[in-house]
């Protein structure tokens, strides 16, 4: 059951697709109480056993109780467990009491900042405070007639409310290699050559900002990449696709047609006086398209055709929180402040003021520009950006996704983004931003992915090996072993760290063993992903969601169910030879090594399992069957006519299609596999 309450005058975020009648405005809510009507402040008294799940892309555990978080799309390049906000704003959570087996979900649908105090200030008090542009609040209680567990049932209702998750082409479930630093066509060809010569599977190479002409969107540096179309077609013959980056900022430069069209058509965000708002990003002074303007949104989205015409079939959108280095105004203020401090005796306070001059201006910059927001009556109103900040990146994804469907009506395109807000999950996936090469960040992915599945983001993943710093061989192998089961499996790093490709660490046999499992699992992963997207369920979920009455399962945050039949328990500690695993039911233990499997039946309970760096261990649930294909060099080469099977089940329903069709349906495409 879903109830809706409205506060203020909400800006349309695009998150919800199902119509829910609004309760009386300002009425007493079913759970908690409104302590301030606007800006909205909602309070709920927590029981001792209450757990809190959700919030999508945030640090810390799956149970979020006990800390403070912000929904405020941020360029969080040095993220750690103290980081209050990352790149997404995902305002849904579930409060669950395992003792009474009761729960409710609550979604704050707003474009503004949301602050979550989940028992931090006071252990027994949950407080949610929203910004000042209005909010629709949806409260979800379990459907007593559902066959799903109580937690999965609430998630399912929410997922139906917000609409079907994006489904990428099948090749997007292959392994992707990326690096900020592939500067030329020769660099890309060298990467592909090394993967192929070492018999390491690969489906895509991502192009970071290096491929552009002076970092200008929808351009290609002809000196570095003299014929991107020919390169794209050549690599596709070998099963490899290129995935170029697109940034939110458009370079201010006379003669650059994208800028001139945006300027002359009034498509950019404006200052209060009506002039284009100018900021510094990769190309220097730039403008942001106003994605609240439907004409500007479609204009920008159709620019992707410049690259699809060259054979490109996938994109990643970046810097769309939007991230910025400075504005013209903040840069002037910073220089004025620097000059005022010259020659002074800087004490502790004035020195920290000095060092923070540049970095403290971001919020002020967000308050310096405006967007034209469409109203239900067909008119528009000018709204200051900081009041609707969280939907900017989401609506860039929407612009690209809608236009790519128009550009390619019969063939799915790959699209994933850095910034997001609930709603963009229908148009593309996300990656979790600029993490680092640390074991803690590997553990964070285990926690973050199921929370993102809760809010609709099924096609997601972290930068394998870590974006920042330098990755060790063992960390990369352990991260790849987790990545075998995550839909977006991409190795990505920054230019100033060590080379992180799977062939860059000497002997590649262990890497081949781990990567081969991914390709053996692609038919299962693709099948389970599509089923989850169409049914509004979670592809990856905490084991406690299926066993909410099992206190041990509910407390286990480092084991996940993957689809119908698989449980994974990744190794995420340095120098560990294995780990303890809790099985909530009888399962089949599967050890994969060098393309071969060994199995062992396990009763429910706790075990210590050994896992070599060249092995991947997973478990198959009782009564389930998991098909394994023969490993291949890319997804197009996978043979789906014959499988080997693991698990004690008798049959598996495999979803299969051509990998590209936009006509996604289960009817007629489920094939029963049996031993």
């Amino acid at each position: 059951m879903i109830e809706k309450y409205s506060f203020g005058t909400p800006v349309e975020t695009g998150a919800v697709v199902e119509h829910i009648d609004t309760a009386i405005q300002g009425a007493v809510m079913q759970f908690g109480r409104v302590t301030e009507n606007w800006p909205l402040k909602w309070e709920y008294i927590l029981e001792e056993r209450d757990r809190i799940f959700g919030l999508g892309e945030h640090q810390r555990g799956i149970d979020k109780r006990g800390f403070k978080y912000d929904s405020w799309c941020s360029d969080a390049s040095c993220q750690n467990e103290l980081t209050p906000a990352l790149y997404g704003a995902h305002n849904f959570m579930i409060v669950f009491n395992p003792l009474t087996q009761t729960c409710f979900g609550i979604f704050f649908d707003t474009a503004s900042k949301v602050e979550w105090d989940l028992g931090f200030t006071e252990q027994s008090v949950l407080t949610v405070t929203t910004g000042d542009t209005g909010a629709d609040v949806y409260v979800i209680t379990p459907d007593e007639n559902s066959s799903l567990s109580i937690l999965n049932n609430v998630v399912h209702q929410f997922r139906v409310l917000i609409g079907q998750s994006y489904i990428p082409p099948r090749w997007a479930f292959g392994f992707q290699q990326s690096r900020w630093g592939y500067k030329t066509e020769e660099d890309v060809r060298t990467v592909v050559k090394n993967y192929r010569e070492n018999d390491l599977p690969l489906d895509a190479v991502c192009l970071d900002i290096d491929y552009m002409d002076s970092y200008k969107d929808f351009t290609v540096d002809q000196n570095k990449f003299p014929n991107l179309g020919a390169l794209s077609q050549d690599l596709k013959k070998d099963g490899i696709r290129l995935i170029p980056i697109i940034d939110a900022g458009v370079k201010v430069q006379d003669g650059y047609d994208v800028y001139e069209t945006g300027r002359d058509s009034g498509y950019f965000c404006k200052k209060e006086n009506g002039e284009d708002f100018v900021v510094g990003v990769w190309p220097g002074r730039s403008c942001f398209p106003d994605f609240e303007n439907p004409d500007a949104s479609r204009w920008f989205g159709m620019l992707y055709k410049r690259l699809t015409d060259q054979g490109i079939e996938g994109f990643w959108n970046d810097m769309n929180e939007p991230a910025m280095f400075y504005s013209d105004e903040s840069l002037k203020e910073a220089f004025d402040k620097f000059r005022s401090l010259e020659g002074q005796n800087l004490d502790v306070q004035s020195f920290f003021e000095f060092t923070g001059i540049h970095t403290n201006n971001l919020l002020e910059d967000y308050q310096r520009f405006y967007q034209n927001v469409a109203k239900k009556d067909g008119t528009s109103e000018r709204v200051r950006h900081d009041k609707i900040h969280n939907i900017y990146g989401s609506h860039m994804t929407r612009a690209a996704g809608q236009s790519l469907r128009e550009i390619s009506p019969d063939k799915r395109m790959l699209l994933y983004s850095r910034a997001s807000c609930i709603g963009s999950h229908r148009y593309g996936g996300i990656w979790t931003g600029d993490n680092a090469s640390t074991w803690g960040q590997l553990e964070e992915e285990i926690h973050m992915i199921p929370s993102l599945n809760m809010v609709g983001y099924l096609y997601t993943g972290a930068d394998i090996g870590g974006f920042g710093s330098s990755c060790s061989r063992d960390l990369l192998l352990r991260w790849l072993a987790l990545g075998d089961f995550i839909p977006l499996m991409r190795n990505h790093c920054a230019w100033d760290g060590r080379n992180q490709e799977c062939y860059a660490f000497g002997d590649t046999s262990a890497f081949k063993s781990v990567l081969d499992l991914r390709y053996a699992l692609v038919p299962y992963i693709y099948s389970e992903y599509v089923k989850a997207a169409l049914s509004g369920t979670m592809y990856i979920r905490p084991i406690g969601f299926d066993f909410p009455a099992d206190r041990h399962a509910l407390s286990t945050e480092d084991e996940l169910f993957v689809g119908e039949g698989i449980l994974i328990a990744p190794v995420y500690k340095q120098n560990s030879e294995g780990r303890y695993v809790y099985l909530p039911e009888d399962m089949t233990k599967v050890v994969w090594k060098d393309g071969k499997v060994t199995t062992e039946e396990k009763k429910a309970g706790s075990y210590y399992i050994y896992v070599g760096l060249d092995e991947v261990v997973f478990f198959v649930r009782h009564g389930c069957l998991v098909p394994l294909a023969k490993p291949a060099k890319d997804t197009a080469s996978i043979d789906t006519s014959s499988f080997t099977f693991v698990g004690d089940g008798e049959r598996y329903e495999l979803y299969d299609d051509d990998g590209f069709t936009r006509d996604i349906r289960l009817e007629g495409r489920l094939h029963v596999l049996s031993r």
Side-chain angles (χ1 to χ4, degrees):
M1 178 180 176
I2 304 178
E3 292 184 344
K4 176 183 176 183
Y5 305 85
S6 290
F7 300 88
T9 306
V11 169
E12 176 59 47
T13 66
V16 170
V17 298
E18 293 286 315
H19 174 74
I20 304 293
D21 289 331
T22 305
I24 298 173
Q25 189 149 351
V28 176
M29 295 177 64
Q30 184 177 358
F31 296 94
R33 65 190 185 98
V34 175
T35 59
E36 294 180 21
N37 202 50
W38 204 254
L40 176 63
K41 189 171 185 179
W42 174 81
E43 183 179 277
Y44 179 78
I45 303 302
L46 293 164
E47 299 289 338
E48 182 179 354
R49 291 282 187 86
D50 281 345
R51 297 170 180 265
I52 303 173
F53 304 113
L55 301 191
E57 188 182 48
H58 270 293
Q59 297 285 343
R60 297 191 170 240
I62 293 174
D63 181 355
K64 293 292 192 289
R65 183 170 178 174
F67 196 60
K68 294 195 298 184
Y69 307 87
D70 292 337
S71 287
W72 182 253
C73 297
S74 304
D75 181 5
S77 59
C78 298
Q79 58 187 257
N80 57 55
E81 69 173 279
L82 297 177
T83 304
L86 294 180
Y87 304 90
H90 309 130
N91 303 323
F92 173 68
M93 68 178 177
I94 295 176
V95 179
F96 174 60
N97 188 309
L99 187 64
T100 60
Q101 289 291 293
T102 56
C103 73
F104 67 92
I106 188 165
F107 173 45
F108 293 82
D109 186 12
T110 177
S112 299
K113 182 178 182 179
V114 182
E115 298 176 346
W116 309 80
D117 187 330
L118 308 186
F120 177 81
T121 302
E122 294 184 57
Q123 186 177 6
S124 63
V125 181
L126 185 166
T127 304
V128 180
T129 307
T130 70
D132 55 0
T133 54
D136 288 327
V137 181
Y138 297 83
V139 177
I140 306 174
T141 50
D143 178 358
E144 295 180 357
N145 297 317
S146 173
S147 61
L148 296 170
S149 71
I150 187 171
L151 290 167
N152 287 326
N153 169 247
V154 171
V155 171
H156 170 69
Q157 290 187 69
F158 176 64
R159 293 276 304 284
V160 171
L161 177 71
I162 62 175
Q164 181 187 303
S165 298
Y166 162 76
I167 301 176
R170 184 165 53 203
W171 65 262
F173 292 85
F175 181 62
Q176 302 175 26
Q177 180 59 57
S178 182
R179 181 180 175 87
W180 176 14
Y182 296 153
K183 296 183 177 181
T184 65
E185 175 181 326
E186 185 58 34
D187 288 343
V188 173
R189 290 189 180 277
T190 298
V191 170
V192 173
K193 176 174 177 287
N194 282 322
Y195 269 92
R196 290 294 185 243
E197 288 184 350
N198 284 282
D199 197 22
L200 297 168
L202 182 68
D203 264 86
V205 176
C206 297
L207 301 179
D208 211 312
I209 56 176
D210 311 281
Y211 82 93
M212 300 179 188
D213 176 12
S214 302
Y215 308 126
K216 292 181 290 187
D217 277 345
F218 309 108
T219 67
V220 179
D221 189 318
Q222 298 298 310
N223 293 319
K224 298 177 180 178
F225 291 86
N227 193 331
L228 186 69
L231 173 63
S232 174
Q233 296 303 324
D234 194 20
L235 293 181
K236 265 194 265 191
K237 294 175 184 176
D238 195 22
I240 307 292
R241 285 172 172 79
L242 294 175
I243 308 173
I245 198 170
I246 302 294
D247 285 334
V250 174
K251 182 178 175 67
V252 173
Q253 183 181 68
D254 290 338
Y256 172 35
D257 66 324
V258 174
Y259 166 69
E260 290 184 336
T261 299
R263 177 197 62 196
D264 296 345
S265 303
Y267 288 158
F268 295 132
C269 296
K270 306 293 184 183
K271 295 191 292 188
E272 189 172 16
N273 64 6
E275 297 176 358
D276 288 343
F277 182 65
V278 177
V279 302
V281 204
W282 298 120
R285 298 176 76 250
S286 304
C287 291
F288 290 139
D290 182 359
F291 294 111
E292 299 311 301
N293 177 341
D295 293 333
S297 182
R298 187 178 185 278
W299 161 72
F300 190 88
M302 293 304 293
L303 290 171
Y304 286 76
K305 191 174 187 298
R306 296 188 177 189
L307 293 168
T308 61
D309 283 348
Q310 299 183 64
I312 299 302
E313 298 178 19
F315 301 90
W316 51 307
N317 289 342
D318 195 17
M319 301 291 283
N320 53 348
E321 291 71 36
M324 65 179 83
F325 305 150
Y326 58 85
S327 69
D328 285 353
E329 291 80 4
S330 66
L331 200 60
K332 180 180 183 304
E333 290 174 0
F335 280 121
D336 289 345
K337 188 64 176 179
F338 273 124
R339 294 188 188 98
S340 72
L341 294 173
E342 185 176 7
Q344 292 189 21
N345 178 20
L346 301 181
D347 60 15
V348 60
Q349 283 81 19
S350 56
F351 178 74
F352 287 137
E353 181 185 6
F354 170 78
T355 57
I357 285 173
H358 175 61
T359 59
N360 290 338
N361 286 325
L362 190 55
L363 178 58
E364 288 83 354
D365 281 339
Y366 286 149
Q367 295 171 345
R368 286 186 168 111
F369 68 98
Y370 293 77
Q371 296 181 253
N372 281 315
V373 176
K375 299 171 67 175
K376 292 181 180 179
D377 62 4
T379 62
S380 64
E381 63 176 328
R382 194 171 71 160
V383 178
R384 206 173 69 190
H385 170 80
D386 63 298
K387 299 179 183 294
I388 56 171
H389 169 76
N390 283 339
I391 59 176
Y392 188 87
S394 178
H395 288 183
M396 179 183 179
T397 299
R398 182 179 67 182
Q402 289 176 336
S403 294
L404 287 171
R405 179 177 283 273
E406 185 175 346
I407 292 165
S408 177
D410 300 319
K411 186 176 181 179
R412 276 174 275 157
M413 295 278 184
L414 174 60
L415 178 65
Y416 52 94
S417 169
R418 192 170 76 174
S420 63
C421 187
I422 294 172
S424 68
H425 70 284
R426 300 193 299 273
Y427 303 98
I430 60 174
W431 88 101
T432 58
D434 295 346
N435 60 2
S437 300
T438 68
W439 293 91
Q441 291 288 286
L442 170 56
E443 182 180 7
E444 278 302 333
E445 182 175 9
I446 300 171
H447 298 154
M448 203 178 291
I449 297 300
S451 297
L452 284 166
N453 269 234
M454 287 178 65
V455 296
Y457 291 94
L458 303 189
Y459 191 76
T460 185
D463 287 340
I464 291 174
F467 174 76
S469 304
S470 290
C471 189
S472 64
R473 180 178 182 273
D474 58 338
L475 175 56
L476 183 57
L477 282 165
R478 294 301 194 197
W479 214 320
L480 288 166
L482 169 62
D484 274 342
F485 304 90
I486 306 299
L488 172 52
M489 188 185 189
R490 182 178 79 153
N491 178 336
H492 180 53
C493 63
W495 64 272
D496 56 349
R498 72 184 295 180
N499 285 355
Q500 200 166 284
E501 298 82 5
C502 294
Y503 54 77
F505 295 84
D507 182 13
T508 60
S509 58
F511 291 95
K512 176 172 172 53
S513 177
V514 176
L515 286 176
D516 276 350
L517 174 60
R518 170 59 169 220
Y519 283 77
L521 282 169
V522 162
Y524 172 85
I525 292 171
Y526 185 64
S527 177
E528 292 300 300
Y529 182 101
V530 172
K531 292 177 193 176
L534 294 182
S535 64
T537 56
M538 297 171 70
Y539 164 76
I540 290 181
R541 59 201 180 279
I543 64 171
F545 275 42
D546 284 24
F547 294 88
D550 183 335
R551 290 180 62 186
H552 198 160
L554 201 64
S555 299
T556 300
E557 297 200 337
D558 57 359
E559 299 178 25
L560 306 171
F561 284 130
V562 179
E564 172 189 65
I566 289 178
L567 180 148
I568 61 172
V571 177
Y572 56 89
K573 297 294 185 181
Q574 184 176 3
N575 298 323
S576 293
E577 294 182 338
R579 55 162 293 170
Y580 282 96
V581 173
Y582 173 69
L583 305 181
E585 62 182 359
D586 296 351
M587 295 190 185
T588 302
K589 176 187 174 185
V590 182
V591 180
W592 171 280
K593 182 177 179 179
D594 297 331
K596 300 175 182 178
V597 296
T598 57
T599 63
E600 178 184 0
E601 299 305 314
K602 291 286 190 182
K603 295 291 186 182
S606 297
Y607 301 90
Y608 187 87
I609 59 169
Y610 291 91
V611 186
L613 286 172
D614 56 353
E615 297 176 331
V616 182
V617 176
F618 61 97
F619 299 84
V620 179
R621 301 183 68 174
H622 177 63
C624 293
L625 194 66
V626 173
L628 296 175
K630 184 179 179 180
K633 70 183 182 71
D634 51 57
T635 53
S637 304
I638 296 173
D639 180 5
T640 58
S641 65
S642 64
F643 296 93
T644 58
F645 299 95
V646 290
D648 62 7
E650 295 299 324
R651 64 198 296 272
Y652 175 74
E653 288 190 326
L654 177 76
Y655 172 86
D656 196 19
D657 60 23
D658 62 9
F660 291 102
T661 178
R662 289 191 182 272
D663 176 24
I664 302 293
R665 51 189 167 83
L666 295 181
E667 182 182 355
R669 291 182 180 152
L670 285 177
H671 308 284
V672 177
L673 306 179
S674 57
R675 293 182 180 278

